[in-house]
Amino acid sequence: MCEMQKLVDWIIGKGLSSDSIDEILKGVAQALLRLGYPLIRASIAMPSIDPLQRGFSVTWSRSSISVEIQGHGDAGEEMFRRSPISHLLSNDLLYGRWKLPSEASQPFPLLQELANDGATDYVMKLIGFPEGTALGGVGFSLAGDGPTGFSDGQIADLDRFLPALALACYRIAALRVATDMLAVYTGSRTSGRILNGQTQRGDGTAIYSAILLADLKDFTSLNERYAPDRIVTWLNQHFEVIGQPVEQAGGEILKFMGDSLLAIFPAEIDNPTDGCERALAAARKAMDANDTLNWNRVDAGEPAIPIDIVLHVGEVFYGNIGCTRRLDFTAIGKAVNEAARMEKLCDNVGRNLLASAMFVSRVQADFEKVGSFALKGVAKPAEVYGLPR
């Protein structure tokens, strides 16, 4: 068996067994060196489906391997615009080659950098993926420092292993998309359950959990006075400062319901103190962060948007509900309903942070009883506590 076929077989095997593009690129680069390529750099670049990154590249050199993330926004766009891959895409090309160095100034910063490192040849090939997602394809590039660069035979041989490499990258990237984006939309704990096969309606389990319900006050009236784009910007700002403490404390944000956020902190039924303490810490940090956000917004001549937070603890069903082809993985149950009913009391008692008696009994904090209230749909009156600020 020829060495190039061995490389193809190795790539296919790794594509099925490994989730690391870094590992595959390193193996490919080492194989090309053994095949006589005067290689000093090899890179794989791919687009991304991620709210925090537009794309990424993995780069091998003789001394290291690194990953570079290209973000969204102006800086990320400028980085992409000044790259060889952008040049190929904008000109509907699948192949580009630049001899280095040249008397003319290099059109891309990367090429000048490679020339300074002694490169004499740079080659990039693009392999497209099926349409339908932002994973449009993969770019593979090589830089060499041989006296005349890469030979024609070496360039031709790229087409022998690149299809296998592209398939391996596609398989790994598709799995990452499924994992990462599912976590973005459902939360990391929930996405793990879904990927492990809990996809049938009714799949789930009863868990004991601290519950945090946050609601933005007077948000409905703002919709009457401000344009939708400003409303969405403000909404995202508040969910960011509320959501960060929740996630940092080990909570799982289950859903955003208009101007409200529901999160759980799984706890041991025999000792729920830890889950309740984490929920309380997250609530306090969220209230403080929201205050800071409002102060800054008022200084800019914009409206403040306070929040109400309710804390409770109890058993919930954590799983799939919905119709056959449209499911929601969430938490439902008596405890969630009670938390929602308690939130309606915040304005009546003049407190922004309320908690149930069961929750208060599990934490060390200076809660004050604000009353006993009948909650809609709940037979027994609820003792409700507030936390002075």
Side-chain angles (χ1 to χ4, degrees):
M1 181 184 299
C2 71
E3 292 302 313
M4 188 58 67
Q5 185 59 49
K6 289 181 181 178
L7 174 57
V8 172
D9 293 343
W10 181 87
I11 293 172
I12 293 173
K14 279 296 180 180
L16 293 172
S17 64
S18 174
D19 290 330
S20 172
I21 292 178
D22 309 32
E23 179 184 4
I24 294 175
L25 177 62
K26 180 179 179 180
V28 169
Q30 291 173 339
L32 294 180
L33 286 173
R34 291 193 297 270
L35 288 167
Y37 282 70
L39 194 63
I40 63 170
R41 183 185 187 272
S43 179
I44 292 172
M46 295 186 68
S48 177
I49 305 176
D50 190 288
L52 299 180
Q53 57 181 256
R54 173 176 177 166
F56 69 93
S57 62
V58 181
T59 301
W60 171 93
S61 70
R62 290 173 180 172
S63 60
S64 66
I65 191 163
S66 62
V67 177
E68 183 178 35
I69 302 299
Q70 178 193 341
H72 293 286
D74 293 341
E77 180 62 31
E78 177 64 14
M79 180 190 301
F80 178 72
R81 188 182 65 81
R82 301 176 66 196
S83 67
I85 195 170
S86 174
H87 168 76
L88 295 185
L89 290 172
S90 62
N91 289 281
D92 294 324
L93 300 173
L94 297 178
Y95 172 74
R97 186 177 187 182
W98 291 265
K99 286 291 189 175
L100 307 173
S102 66
E103 294 182 1
S105 61
Q106 299 301 337
F108 312 111
L110 172 63
L111 299 187
Q112 186 61 59
E113 178 184 330
L114 290 172
N116 293 340
D117 290 339
T120 58
D121 204 353
Y122 180 78
V123 175
M124 171 169 278
K125 287 208 168 191
L126 304 184
I127 303 96
F129 297 154
E131 296 181 357
T133 74
L135 293 177
V138 60
F140 180 71
S141 64
L142 299 176
D145 63 354
T148 58
F150 301 111
S151 70
D152 292 341
Q154 289 171 335
I155 297 297
D157 277 345
L158 295 180
D159 290 333
R160 298 179 63 184
F161 72 85
L162 279 182
L165 181 62
L167 281 173
C169 291
Y170 185 78
R171 202 280 301 170
I172 294 171
L175 178 61
R176 287 183 181 177
V177 167
T179 303
D180 296 345
M181 293 311 298
L182 193 60
V184 167
Y185 280 94
T186 68
S188 58
R189 187 178 291 107
T190 299
S191 67
R193 288 175 178 257
I194 294 171
L195 289 172
N196 282 327
Q198 290 191 25
T199 58
Q200 297 292 309
R201 184 169 50 174
D203 278 355
T205 186
I207 65 171
Y208 203 73
S209 178
I211 297 165
L212 183 152
L213 178 64
D215 183 71
L216 295 171
K217 294 169 63 70
D218 303 322
F219 198 79
T220 301
S221 64
L222 295 178
N223 285 275
E224 301 294 327
R225 294 151 42 203
Y226 295 96
D229 57 340
R230 297 183 74 184
I231 293 293
V232 169
T233 297
W234 294 337
L235 189 64
N236 286 332
Q237 289 172 347
H238 285 277
F239 280 151
E240 181 72 18
V241 300
I242 299 168
Q244 278 191 356
V246 168
E247 294 180 334
Q248 290 169 357
E252 179 96 347
I253 299 173
L254 293 183
K255 61 172 61 260
F256 298 98
M257 305 166 291
D259 55 6
S260 300
L261 175 155
L262 173 65
I264 61 172
F265 296 76
E268 298 293 332
I269 189 170
D270 296 328
N271 183 24
T273 297
D274 176 67
C276 292
E277 290 283 5
R278 288 187 287 112
L280 176 58
R284 282 173 154 163
K285 289 181 179 179
M287 298 288 283
D288 291 342
N290 198 72
D291 286 344
T292 300
L293 175 60
N294 280 328
W295 292 333
N296 292 335
R297 185 176 297 132
V298 169
D299 285 343
E302 296 178 331
I305 307 176
I307 56 169
D308 292 330
I309 293 181
V310 168
L311 299 169
H312 193 19
V313 62
E315 187 176 84
V316 299
F317 173 80
Y318 179 50
N320 282 315
I321 62 170
C323 55
T324 305
R325 297 298 299 174
R326 180 61 178 89
L327 299 174
D328 189 12
F329 206 109
T330 188
I332 62 172
K334 179 173 178 287
V336 176
N337 293 337
E338 290 171 348
R341 299 291 186 262
M342 287 171 57
E343 189 276 323
K344 306 301 181 184
L345 299 172
C346 289
D347 286 341
N348 295 339
V349 300
R351 299 293 180 92
N352 296 113
L353 181 57
L354 296 180
S356 66
M358 188 177 299
F359 185 95
V360 169
S361 69
R362 301 297 183 179
V363 297
Q364 297 293 321
D366 297 326
F367 278 98
E368 300 173 346
K369 185 174 180 179
V370 297
S372 183
F373 301 89
L375 303 180
K376 183 179 179 180
V378 180
K380 185 179 178 181
E383 293 184 351
V384 178
Y385 292 75
L387 191 64
R389 298 190 68 201

